Amino acid sequence: MTPEHVGTALIPGGAEMRLMRRGHEYTIMLERVELMSSRASHSEQALATMTAERLDGRPAPQFLIGGYGMGFTLRAALGVLGPDAGVTVAELVPEIIDWARGPMAGLTAGCLDDPRVVLVKDDVAMLIGAARGGYDAILLDVDNGPDGLTRTGNDHLYGPNGLLAARAALTRGGILAIWSAEPDKAFTARLQKAGFAVDEVVVRERPNGKGARHVIWFARKP
C-alpha cells in the first residue's frame, strides 16, 4: 500500500515535516528520516511510566512533557498518574496538535481533553526557564534527543545552560527524563556535570523486546 501524504508542517527555524498514513498507521517524516511512527511506541510510553515509578508514589505530581509527538508519552502518563496529578504539554509546532485533533483523533483518544492536562503551544524551554521548583518531572522527547535533527534551537535544551535551567525547574528529588534515538556518552557526562544523579536505560521500541534500541536518561535532582 502506497503511503498517503496527509499534511505538512514547517518547524520554526527548522525543516519541513510530513504526516503520512498507510492504512491505520501514521508516520511523521523529516525529509526521508522517520521521526515517529504509530507502529512503534513502547519507548515513548516508557518515558512516562518509568519516570512515574521513580517518583515513588509522590502525591499530586506535576509533570511537564516537552513535545506532544503522537501523544504516546502523554497517554502513558495519564494512565499511571492519579486524579490529583497535573500534566503540562508544550508543543511548538501547531500542526502537530491539529493532526492530533484531526486525522489522528482516534489515536489521540481524547487525552488532550483530560482535565489534568494543560496544553501550551510554545517552546518547552520557555516553560522550563520560567519555573523554579515547579515540576516533579520534566519529560523531553524533542528532536530525537541531544543529537538534534529538526531545529538548531533545540540544542539549548541539552546544553549546559539548558540542563541547569531544568534542574532549577525541578522539585527536590525531581526527575529530568530524556528520550533519545541513540546513545550519547558525552551527554551522560554533561548531565552528571550539571549535578544530576543519572540512570541510563536502554528500551526497545516494541513491547515484545524487538525493534530499535532507544535510550532514556533519568536524571534526578539531589
Side-chain angles (χ1 to χ4, degrees), residues 21-40:
R21 176 171 54 206
R22 177 181 289 168
H24 298 293
E25 296 179 351
Y26 290 89
T27 305
I28 294 180
M29 306 290 296
L30 176 72
E31 297 178 350
R32 296 187 178 183
V33 178
E34 182 179 293
L35 291 179
M36 61 196 81
S37 170
S38 62
R39 299 187 308 274

Side-chain angles (χ1 to χ4, degrees), residues 38-56:
S38 62
R39 299 187 308 274
S41 59
H42 181 63
S43 60
E44 287 87 349
Q45 294 170 6
L47 180 65
T49 58
M50 295 177 74
T51 298
E53 290 170 1
R54 284 162 170 76
L55 288 174
D56 300 323

Side-chain angles (χ1 to χ4, degrees), residues 56 75 86 137 140 153 159 166 190 211:
D56 300 323
R75 291 195 297 283
L140 297 181
R190 201 180 309 150

Side-chain angles (χ1 to χ4, degrees), residues 68-76 111:
Y68 175 81
M70 290 186 172
F72 295 120
T73 300
L74 174 58
R75 291 195 297 283
C111 67

